[in-house]
Every structure is written in C-alpha cells, then in structure tokens.
Amino acid sequence: MSLFKQLLIAICLFLVVAFTGSFMVSLESSRTQYVNQLRSHAQDAATALALSLTPNIDDPAMVELLVSSIFDSGYYASIRVIDVSNDNVIVERSGIPAVTNVPDWFVKLIGLEPAGGDAIVSRGWEQAARVEVVSHPMFALAKLWQSALGSLGWLLLCGAVSAVLGALLLRRQLKPLDYMVKQSHAIARREFLSLPDLPRTPELRRVVQAMNQMVEKLKALFQEQAERSEKLRIESYQDNLTGLANRRYFEMQLNARVSNPEQASSGYLLLLRVKDLAGLNQRLGGQRTDELLIAVGEQLSRECAKYPETHNLVTRIRGGEFAVLAPGLVREEALQLARNLDSALASLHATGATDVASVASLGLAPFVHGDSPQAVIGLADQALAQAETQGEPSWACLDHSASSRVADDHHAWHNLLDQALTNRGLQLYFQPVVASQDPQLVLHYKVLSRLIDDQGQTIPAGRFLPWLERFGWTARLDRLMLELVLEQMAGHDESLALNLSSATLADPQMLNKVFEILRAHSNMGPRLTLEIGEEQIPEQAVLEQLTKRLRELGFSLSLQRFGGRFSMIGNLARLGLAYLKIDGSYIRAIDQEGDKRLFIEAIQRAAHSIDLPLIAERVETEGELSVIREMGLYGVQGQLFGEPKPWQ
C-alpha cells in the first residue's frame, strides 16, 4: 500500500474516531439535559395540579376533570391522585403515547426512562392527598432523534470535506516523493532529472535536495567520462588540422567494409592528392598552405554530403592526401562525384586560396567484399598516378575484374528486389549475441536478411541494401522484415534484435504503420529490440519521441555500429536505450592495438555510469574476446560465436 493511501486511511480513521466521540458526547449531553427536563416537567405538573386540587379535593368530579385536563395537555405516562389517609387511588390517568418517527433501536440505545414528580394536596392544615405525575420520554426521544440526525449529517459533511481536503493536501505534500520515484525510474533509463521547486516541508526538502545532488553528481560523472572518451577518440581518429577523420580511422573502416557482408560491401575508394605540396609551402607559406588543406577538406565534405553513403568516411590520410570511402556507389555515381569534386576544387584558385589552377588529382578504384585492403589502396594509387600524369581531366578511374559486379545492371536489380519485396522473397538469418563472460548464454539473436536470386542463391544484405536505398525501397524492407520477424517469433520464446533504417524514421506514414504493427503484437515487446545504426540516428527530439512511443508499446530501442559519433553520448543518457553495440572496426585486433583499448575502456566507463550495457560487434578471435572480458563489456557478437544462419 502506498504512503499516500496509508496516510489517507490514517486521517480518515482519525476523523471517524474524533467525530464518533464528539457525536457520542453530544448525544449523551443532550440525553442528560432531557432527563432533567422530564423530571422538572413532571414536578412542575404535579405542583400545579396539587394547587388546583386544593380547593376541590372533596369534589370527585372536579378532581377527575382537573387530572384529565393536565394529562391531555402534555406527554405523561400516568397521573395519580392518592388519598393519604388510606393510600387509595382517587383518580388515575395513564397511557403510553406512540412514538411514530423514532426507530426502536434508537429508543433502546438511548434508554431514556420516564421521570416522575409528586406534590401534596392540603385540606386546610391537613394533608388530604398526594399527586404523582410520571412524564413520558416520547417528546425527548423525538427531539434527540432529530438532533442526532442533524449532528450526524453535519459530522459526515465535515468528515467528507476534511477527507477531501486532507487528500488534496497529502497529494500536494507528497508530490515531491512522486517526482523522486520518477527520478529513480529516469536514472534506470539513463536519464537525469532534477526537481526545480523544493517542497516547503523541511524533511521532504532535505530528501529532495539529496536526490537532486545525487542526480547532478551522476550527470557530472557521466559527462566527464563522455568528454574524456570523446577526447580520446579525437586524439586517436581525427585529423588535427582539418577536423576530418585520420588515416587510422580510414584503414579501420576500409577493413570493415571489405570484410563485412552485412554492410555495403561494394563501392568505390577515392584518393585525392594536393599537387606540389612542398612547392605550395615555399610559395605561400605554411599558414596559407594549411588554410588551403582545410579548404580542400571542406570542399570534400560539402560534395560528399550529397551521398549519404560517405557519411563520416571523408578522411585526411597524410600531408596533402585525402581519401573518401564510398560504399554502395556504382560506377556512374562515383564518376559524377569525381567530376563534381574536380569542379569544386577548381574554384579554390578563383578565391585566391591557391596560385595554381589545378589544385589536386583524384583517383578512383572499386572494391567488393573479400578484397584485400592493400589491393584496393594499390589500385586507387594507380588511378591517382594516372590522373597526375594525364593532365586533363584531373581524375582517373581504374577497374579490376570485379568491376562488373560493382556496376551491376540497374534494371535487373530493380526487378529482383521488387519481386522479393512483393512476394516476400527474403530469408531470415540469425546470429547469436552472447554474454561475454559466458558464451553459452545467448542474450538475443540478431536478425539479418538474405535475398534469394533467380538461381536460388542467397545474397547478403551488403550487396542489395545500396540498391534498395537507390530505389527508395528501404522502408518497404523494414516493414517486410518486421512482419516476418513477428511471425517467426510466434514459434519460440527467444529474444531478437531487428534493424530499423533511417528511411522509415524519416517517413511519418511508414513509421505509423510500423507502430500499428507493433501495437498489434505488444505481447512480444519484451523479446524484440529495434536497432538503429549510428549513421542513421535522427535528430535528438525525433529520437526521444521514438523511444518514448516504443516504450509505451512495450518495445525497446538500441544503437548499433556506435563509435564514430561519440560526442552525442551525452544525449543518449535521456533515451533509456536497451544497450549499445560498439562498431566492429574498433574491436578488430583490439588485443594488439592499445589505442583501441583505451577508447573502448573510456566508452565502458561512461556507459557504466548510466548502467548502459555495451555489446561488442564482430568479435572474431580469442584475443579480442579476452580483452573484452577484462574490460567488462556485457555481450559479444561475431563469427567466433556463430555465423548467421536460418533458424533451427
């Protein structure tokens, strides 16, 4: 029972006891008063009758008349005139008036007895007779009953008003406690709330101040850990001059793209080299050359922003060399990107940023899943060397034997994907996510999609997802996958995790359809977690609204491939995420590369301060697992624990 109910019941019991006591005291006081009135009434009547009978005591008719007149004029049980000399009754009138409006239980409860009085009738100096008058309590009972009803009604009204006012006062006084409960629940959801208005009650004020202080300390601790982790990330993976990612980050992402069939596993690598960097330093000076490099980086970022696939993949690898990793791009798009960059860089001469018309050379090379990172970079270097020697244009593109696969037929992909989405021609694959300390304990299964081609072969998501994005069908895939997963979950009790794309989040109509599907299957909420890739995170307000609606439906949200935008972790504290999956590029060879370990340890400390579980993606060696266990990460996912496969 809540404190509010306990206090309210206590107040009501107090009111009942107080009002009952007051009612009984009032009733007893009235009863005593009426007893006295009955006794006085009987005595007065006896005295008056005795005085009236004194001159007429010897006239029996007159005596009877006077007795009858007195008896009929009031509430009397009996009136008797007794001869003193022989105790014979001269005249007697008696009767019991009916009590019509007073319940019998009240009459018995009050126990009001008749009261009597007597007087002497004289004959000269002699006592002739004795008058005995007994008053009937009917009148007093009727008055007591009316008084009791009035008092009871008033007390009930006062009690009800007092109970309502007490409840309102209690609710107001205990409101800080309700807010502290919300604070506790918010902390469990990785949110930090403070009560701005302190209560007036000193005891509650101290408790609220203590809670606010604790929340602020937790918030400060988390913010400190987040800032420290972001600083480590910047130092390890960001170029100091341009603010772009550095070579270290570029190599990590390239390795991840060519080795992970679930992400866009084909695309193009673009290398850019500023011409005659040493000469520019001599002619323009170090400061203007640095400004030129910054301007080149800005032009790269601006042009690549038109291609979401390149998000966070624009890097400066050394000196005047830049690299852009463009997963999912086909040949025509890559060539158009090169043309746009060539035109944009030419504008730097017009603005006076450089003293040469041709600022840089560009080389393009394709990559597919399974390629060696060194081979991809080598091919891009060849293309760059060709661009530097050929003059105009300032870019070149080289292909290898896999280029035909990169530039797959647009029409064929359109028909294949349209049929698959229409006819539900997708197959679900599942990869276990296990506890790091006990790999036998499966936390959940990650749901992956496979496309079945005309030959019955399965195509991993990394190959067809770029085409889905190009056709604008990613939201259709999300809806179909959600329907298939919910149908599949009906046959077992395991927990699953399913990815949700940015296309669905950006389409209110499609998002509402997703919510409708989830609402119809709310009983599966505790077993299904929706995941969003770091690169697909919407604005903070949209993300908070999404998590709120999912939480209302019983489902939870988490982030995957996290690591490149660690500065936003301060905002994640308010979302109540189920867990956070660290991008596999930061896990690869973590047992051999100390900077990765320092970075992940910083993330772990920040996440631990808000009780946010961390899961490492793409764990493939025992050495990586050993380091992850030492750092205390919650779960792991990767080939070491099982390849994606159909449900068994």
Side-chain angles (χ1 to χ4, degrees):
M1 187 180 295
S2 65
L3 179 61
F4 173 80
K5 291 182 178 179
Q6 293 182 43
L7 291 176
L8 184 60
I9 291 174
I11 291 175
C12 292
L13 289 177
F14 173 78
L15 290 175
V16 168
V17 173
F19 288 163
T20 301
S22 175
F23 177 75
M24 296 303 297
V25 170
S26 175
L27 188 62
E28 181 62 24
S29 176
S30 299
R31 178 181 178 281
T32 302
Q33 182 180 356
Y34 280 115
V35 168
N36 294 331
Q37 287 183 0
L38 287 174
R39 188 177 294 112
S40 176
H41 179 66
Q43 185 60 49
D44 291 344
T47 302
L49 182 58
L51 291 175
S52 300
L53 290 176
T54 297
N56 303 301
I57 189 60
D58 296 321
D59 188 351
M62 185 57 72
V63 171
E64 186 173 356
L65 179 62
L66 291 173
V67 169
S68 296
S69 64
I70 294 294
F71 185 85
D72 295 336
S73 63
Y75 300 96
Y76 301 103
S78 66
I79 298 179
R80 295 193 303 173
V81 181
I82 303 173
D83 191 344
V84 175
S85 61
N86 53 19
D87 289 335
N88 291 330
V89 177
I90 301 175
V91 177
E92 181 179 6
R93 288 289 306 274
S94 62
I96 300 177
V99 182
T100 57
N101 58 343
V102 182
D104 293 338
W105 63 266
F106 185 77
V107 175
K108 295 178 181 178
L109 178 65
I110 296 300
L112 195 61
E113 299 294 333
D118 57 23
I120 300 299
V121 180
S122 300
R123 186 185 294 117
W125 297 100
E126 297 179 354
Q127 295 181 352
R130 184 175 71 252
V131 178
E132 295 179 354
V133 179
V134 179
S135 296
H136 196 278
M138 181 192 70
F139 176 76
L141 287 171
K143 291 293 185 182
L144 276 175
W145 175 247
Q146 293 176 1
S147 177
L149 289 180
S151 298
L152 184 61
W154 173 249
L155 292 178
L156 289 175
L157 178 62
C158 291
V161 173
S162 300
V164 172
L165 293 177
L168 295 176
L169 180 62
L170 277 178
R171 190 171 296 279
R172 181 179 180 182
Q173 292 297 320
L174 297 178
K175 190 174 181 180
L177 294 180
D178 294 334
Y179 194 87
M180 283 188 287
V181 172
K182 293 181 180 179
Q183 277 184 312
S184 302
H185 292 165
I187 292 174
R189 299 193 304 269
R190 278 74 71 179
E191 300 177 18
F192 302 109
L193 304 178
S194 296
L195 182 59
D197 301 325
L198 297 178
R200 297 180 180 179
T201 308
E203 293 81 3
L204 290 177
R205 176 185 290 268
R206 289 195 297 269
V207 175
V208 170
Q209 286 176 335
M211 283 291 295
N212 286 345
Q213 186 178 9
M214 182 190 71
V215 168
E216 291 300 323
K217 285 186 176 181
L218 285 175
K219 187 176 180 179
L221 177 63
F222 173 74
Q223 192 64 34
E224 180 184 350
Q225 295 289 352
E227 292 174 356
R228 186 179 304 170
S229 300
E230 176 63 12
K231 183 179 179 180
L232 283 174
R233 190 195 67 82
I234 291 174
E235 291 176 352
S236 301
Y237 305 109
Q238 186 170 310
D239 180 61
N240 294 329
L241 178 63
T242 62
L244 301 175
N246 60 12
R247 183 180 184 90
R248 182 86 178 109
Y249 185 81
F250 163 73
E251 292 175 347
M252 287 168 48
Q253 292 300 318
L254 178 59
N255 288 331
R257 299 291 170 170
V258 298
S259 63
N260 186 8
E262 305 306 328
Q263 291 183 262
S265 54
S266 64
Y268 276 81
L269 170 63
L270 183 149
L271 292 183
L272 181 149
R273 183 181 295 148
V274 177
K275 297 179 179 180
D276 192 20
L277 185 62
L280 289 172
N281 270 308
Q282 292 179 355
R283 297 192 307 272
L284 304 179
Q287 182 176 355
R288 287 192 61 187
T289 303
D290 288 345
E291 293 175 354
L292 173 62
L293 294 175
I294 294 173
V296 170
E298 290 175 348
Q299 292 289 354
L300 272 174
S301 299
R302 187 177 297 111
E303 293 299 325
C304 290
K306 303 172 184 177
Y307 302 89
E309 300 89 344
T310 64
H311 183 70
N312 286 336
L313 297 177
V314 181
T315 61
R316 180 190 178 210
I317 52 181
R318 63 174 174 266
E321 294 186 12
F322 297 80
V324 178
L325 199 60
L329 261 64
V330 295
R331 180 178 176 84
E332 292 77 11
E333 294 171 331
L335 297 181
Q336 186 60 48
L337 175 60
R339 296 187 191 99
N340 295 340
L341 283 173
D342 192 30
S343 301
L345 293 174
S347 66
L348 295 178
H349 178 261
T351 60
T354 179
D355 58 354
V356 294
S358 182
V359 178
S361 302
L362 294 88
L364 289 169
F367 65 87
V368 295
H369 174 254
D371 282 348
S372 165
Q374 292 76 18
V376 176
I377 296 175
L379 189 63
D381 279 330
Q382 294 179 29
L384 184 59
Q386 179 178 324
E388 291 175 334
T389 58
Q390 70 184 15
E392 295 294 333
S394 301
W395 58 270
C397 179
L398 295 182
D399 293 330
H400 53 49
S401 59
S403 63
S404 59
R405 289 183 289 159
V406 176
D408 278 326
D409 183 67
H410 184 282
H411 181 70
W413 274 111
H414 187 279
N415 290 338
L416 178 62
L417 291 172
D418 188 39
Q419 292 177 8
L421 295 175
T422 304
N423 302 325
R424 309 180 77 174
L426 290 172
Q427 188 172 359
L428 301 182
Y429 272 55
F430 304 86
Q431 187 174 29
V433 179
V434 302
S436 61
Q437 303 300 327
D438 182 13
Q440 300 301 319
L441 176 60
V442 178
L443 303 176
H444 63 263
Y445 289 89
K446 177 61 187 288
V447 182
L448 305 170
S449 57
R450 294 289 186 269
L451 180 65
I452 310 299
D453 61 12
D454 297 335
Q455 288 75 37
Q457 301 295 319
T458 58
I459 303 174
R463 286 200 59 198
F464 64 81
L465 281 179
W467 288 101
L468 281 174
E469 294 174 359
R470 196 170 287 112
F471 299 143
W473 293 346
T474 311
R476 289 179 61 188
L477 174 66
D478 287 347
R479 181 177 179 180
L480 175 58
M481 289 292 294
L482 180 60
E483 293 174 350
L484 293 175
V485 166
L486 290 172
E487 292 174 5
Q488 193 268 346
M489 291 179 66
H492 60 86
D493 297 326
E494 300 291 341
S495 298
L496 304 181
L498 177 66
N499 185 60
L500 203 63
S501 71
S502 57
T504 298
L505 302 180
D507 187 346
Q509 185 176 0
M510 184 60 68
L511 191 57
N512 286 329
K513 291 181 180 178
V514 169
F515 286 139
E516 290 176 3
I517 296 173
L518 294 176
R519 188 177 293 107
H521 298 82
S522 58
N523 59 311
M524 297 182 181
R527 296 196 291 125
L528 179 61
T529 302
L530 298 178
E531 296 182 348
I532 300 177
E534 181 195 72
E535 70 281 0
Q536 300 173 328
I537 296 178
E539 297 180 356
Q540 182 68 17
V542 178
L543 192 57
E544 291 182 2
Q545 183 65 23
L546 175 63
T547 55
K548 180 181 179 182
R549 293 191 64 178
L550 288 176
R551 195 181 303 121
E552 292 173 350
L553 296 174
F555 296 82
S556 54
L557 185 72
S558 66
L559 297 185
Q560 63 176 349
R561 298 190 296 274
F562 187 79
R565 297 172 60 186
F566 193 76
S567 58
M568 68 168 298
I569 197 170
N571 298 326
L572 299 181
R574 302 194 298 269
L575 299 179
L577 300 175
Y579 52 81
L580 202 62
K581 285 186 176 180
I582 303 299
D583 188 11
S585 59
Y586 295 97
I587 304 300
R588 177 71 64 87
I590 194 174
D591 54 327
Q592 304 171 16
E593 302 174 12
D595 56 338
K596 290 184 177 180
R597 178 164 183 169
L598 290 175
F599 179 56
I600 300 301
E601 284 178 342
I603 296 179
Q604 168 66 1
R605 286 193 295 270
H608 183 72
S609 65
I610 57 172
D611 194 27
L612 178 60
L614 291 186
I615 296 176
E617 295 182 323
R618 302 189 65 197
V619 180
E620 298 178 355
T621 66
E622 290 290 345
E624 295 169 353
L625 177 61
S626 178
V627 173
I628 289 170
R629 284 176 172 172
E630 291 178 11
M631 291 189 293
L633 267 67
Y634 175 61
V636 286
Q637 174 186 348
Q639 295 181 4
L640 185 62
F641 314 100
E643 294 279 354
K645 58 183 179 181
W647 190 263
Q648 294 180 350

PDB file of all heavy atoms in Angstrom, residues 611-623:
ATOM      1  N   ASP A 611      24.559   2.834 -16.356  1.00  0.00           N
ATOM      2  CA  ASP A 611      24.041   1.468 -16.410  1.00  0.00           C
ATOM      3  C   ASP A 611      23.568   1.095 -17.816  1.00  0.00           C
ATOM      4  O   ASP A 611      22.502   0.501 -18.005  1.00  0.00           O
ATOM      5  CB  ASP A 611      22.902   1.289 -15.399  1.00  0.00           C
ATOM      6  CG  ASP A 611      22.562  -0.172 -15.158  1.00  0.00           C
ATOM      7  OD1 ASP A 611      23.462  -1.013 -15.323  1.00  0.00           O
ATOM      8  OD2 ASP A 611      21.405  -0.475 -14.818  1.00  0.00           O
ATOM      9  N   LEU A 612      24.359   1.463 -18.813  1.00  0.00           N
ATOM     10  CA  LEU A 612      24.033   1.164 -20.206  1.00  0.00           C
ATOM     11  C   LEU A 612      24.908   0.009 -20.681  1.00  0.00           C
ATOM     12  O   LEU A 612      26.123   0.152 -20.795  1.00  0.00           O
ATOM     13  CB  LEU A 612      24.258   2.392 -21.083  1.00  0.00           C
ATOM     14  CG  LEU A 612      24.011   2.225 -22.586  1.00  0.00           C
ATOM     15  CD1 LEU A 612      22.567   1.811 -22.850  1.00  0.00           C
ATOM     16  CD2 LEU A 612      24.342   3.514 -23.325  1.00  0.00           C
ATOM     17  N   PRO A 613      24.331  -1.167 -20.950  1.00  0.00           N
ATOM     18  CA  PRO A 613      25.138  -2.318 -21.376  1.00  0.00           C
ATOM     19  C   PRO A 613      25.813  -2.068 -22.728  1.00  0.00           C
ATOM     20  O   PRO A 613      25.220  -1.470 -23.629  1.00  0.00           O
ATOM     21  CB  PRO A 613      24.115  -3.457 -21.465  1.00  0.00           C
ATOM     22  CG  PRO A 613      22.923  -2.985 -20.687  1.00  0.00           C
ATOM     23  CD  PRO A 613      22.896  -1.508 -20.826  1.00  0.00           C
ATOM     24  N   LEU A 614      27.047  -2.555 -22.866  1.00  0.00           N
ATOM     25  CA  LEU A 614      27.791  -2.468 -24.117  1.00  0.00           C
ATOM     26  C   LEU A 614      27.956  -3.861 -24.711  1.00  0.00           C
ATOM     27  O   LEU A 614      28.229  -4.820 -23.994  1.00  0.00           O
ATOM     28  CB  LEU A 614      29.169  -1.835 -23.895  1.00  0.00           C
ATOM     29  CG  LEU A 614      29.230  -0.354 -23.533  1.00  0.00           C
ATOM     30  CD1 LEU A 614      30.681   0.120 -23.499  1.00  0.00           C
ATOM     31  CD2 LEU A 614      28.423   0.489 -24.503  1.00  0.00           C
ATOM     32  N   ILE A 615      27.791  -3.937 -26.021  1.00  0.00           N
ATOM     33  CA  ILE A 615      27.974  -5.184 -26.760  1.00  0.00           C
ATOM     34  C   ILE A 615      28.982  -4.928 -27.870  1.00  0.00           C
ATOM     35  O   ILE A 615      28.872  -3.952 -28.611  1.00  0.00           O
ATOM     36  CB  ILE A 615      26.643  -5.691 -27.332  1.00  0.00           C
ATOM     37  CG1 ILE A 615      25.673  -6.050 -26.191  1.00  0.00           C
ATOM     38  CG2 ILE A 615      26.865  -6.906 -28.232  1.00  0.00           C
ATOM     39  CD1 ILE A 615      24.289  -6.466 -26.664  1.00  0.00           C
ATOM     40  N   ALA A 616      29.961  -5.781 -27.975  1.00  0.00           N
ATOM     41  CA  ALA A 616      30.999  -5.656 -28.996  1.00  0.00           C
ATOM     42  C   ALA A 616      30.584  -6.416 -30.245  1.00  0.00           C
ATOM     43  O   ALA A 616      30.226  -7.598 -30.173  1.00  0.00           O
ATOM     44  CB  ALA A 616      32.334  -6.168 -28.472  1.00  0.00           C
ATOM     45  N   GLU A 617      30.632  -5.757 -31.404  1.00  0.00           N
ATOM     46  CA  GLU A 617      30.283  -6.382 -32.675  1.00  0.00           C
ATOM     47  C   GLU A 617      31.525  -6.979 -33.334  1.00  0.00           C
ATOM     48  O   GLU A 617      32.650  -6.521 -33.131  1.00  0.00           O
ATOM     49  CB  GLU A 617      29.645  -5.363 -33.622  1.00  0.00           C
ATOM     50  CG  GLU A 617      28.307  -4.818 -33.164  1.00  0.00           C
ATOM     51  CD  GLU A 617      27.706  -3.855 -34.165  1.00  0.00           C
ATOM     52  OE1 GLU A 617      28.446  -3.091 -34.795  1.00  0.00           O
ATOM     53  OE2 GLU A 617      26.494  -3.869 -34.316  1.00  0.00           O
ATOM     54  N   ARG A 618      31.314  -8.014 -34.129  1.00  0.00           N
ATOM     55  CA  ARG A 618      32.331  -8.633 -34.979  1.00  0.00           C
ATOM     56  C   ARG A 618      33.563  -9.071 -34.183  1.00  0.00           C
ATOM     57  O   ARG A 618      34.701  -8.754 -34.535  1.00  0.00           O
ATOM     58  CB  ARG A 618      32.711  -7.682 -36.109  1.00  0.00           C
ATOM     59  CG  ARG A 618      31.536  -7.245 -36.998  1.00  0.00           C
ATOM     60  CD  ARG A 618      32.012  -6.485 -38.201  1.00  0.00           C
ATOM     61  NE  ARG A 618      32.801  -7.381 -39.047  1.00  0.00           N
ATOM     62  CZ  ARG A 618      33.626  -6.929 -39.994  1.00  0.00           C
ATOM     63  NH1 ARG A 618      33.782  -5.639 -40.175  1.00  0.00           N
ATOM     64  NH2 ARG A 618      34.318  -7.795 -40.733  1.00  0.00           N
ATOM     65  N   VAL A 619      33.353  -9.798 -33.113  1.00  0.00           N
ATOM     66  CA  VAL A 619      34.441 -10.405 -32.350  1.00  0.00           C
ATOM     67  C   VAL A 619      34.804 -11.714 -33.045  1.00  0.00           C
ATOM     68  O   VAL A 619      33.971 -12.612 -33.173  1.00  0.00           O
ATOM     69  CB  VAL A 619      34.019 -10.647 -30.894  1.00  0.00           C
ATOM     70  CG1 VAL A 619      35.155 -11.284 -30.115  1.00  0.00           C
ATOM     71  CG2 VAL A 619      33.586  -9.335 -30.249  1.00  0.00           C
ATOM     72  N   GLU A 620      36.057 -11.825 -33.474  1.00  0.00           N
ATOM     73  CA  GLU A 620      36.429 -12.962 -34.316  1.00  0.00           C
ATOM     74  C   GLU A 620      37.601 -13.767 -33.785  1.00  0.00           C
ATOM     75  O   GLU A 620      37.917 -14.818 -34.342  1.00  0.00           O
ATOM     76  CB  GLU A 620      36.746 -12.453 -35.728  1.00  0.00           C
ATOM     77  CG  GLU A 620      35.548 -11.784 -36.405  1.00  0.00           C
ATOM     78  CD  GLU A 620      35.865 -11.227 -37.779  1.00  0.00           C
ATOM     79  OE1 GLU A 620      37.066 -11.285 -38.163  1.00  0.00           O
ATOM     80  OE2 GLU A 620      34.952 -10.722 -38.449  1.00  0.00           O
ATOM     81  N   THR A 621      38.287 -13.304 -32.728  1.00  0.00           N
ATOM     82  CA  THR A 621      39.433 -14.047 -32.203  1.00  0.00           C
ATOM     83  C   THR A 621      39.335 -14.170 -30.691  1.00  0.00           C
ATOM     84  O   THR A 621      38.657 -13.379 -30.021  1.00  0.00           O
ATOM     85  CB  THR A 621      40.764 -13.350 -32.559  1.00  0.00           C
ATOM     86  OG1 THR A 621      40.846 -12.088 -31.872  1.00  0.00           O
ATOM     87  CG2 THR A 621      40.873 -13.116 -34.053  1.00  0.00           C
ATOM     88  N   GLU A 622      40.021 -15.165 -30.166  1.00  0.00           N
ATOM     89  CA  GLU A 622      40.055 -15.362 -28.724  1.00  0.00           C
ATOM     90  C   GLU A 622      40.767 -14.207 -28.022  1.00  0.00           C
ATOM     91  O   GLU A 622      40.425 -13.854 -26.890  1.00  0.00           O
ATOM     92  CB  GLU A 622      40.762 -16.684 -28.394  1.00  0.00           C
ATOM     93  CG  GLU A 622      39.977 -17.938 -28.791  1.00  0.00           C
ATOM     94  CD  GLU A 622      38.747 -18.151 -27.920  1.00  0.00           C
ATOM     95  OE1 GLU A 622      38.649 -17.512 -26.844  1.00  0.00           O
ATOM     96  OE2 GLU A 622      37.879 -18.967 -28.309  1.00  0.00           O
ATOM     97  N   GLY A 623      41.765 -13.638 -28.686  1.00  0.00           N
ATOM     98  CA  GLY A 623      42.451 -12.486 -28.101  1.00  0.00           C
ATOM     99  C   GLY A 623      41.531 -11.302 -27.918  1.00  0.00           C
ATOM    100  O   GLY A 623      41.558 -10.619 -26.882  1.00  0.00           O
TER     101      GLY A 623
END
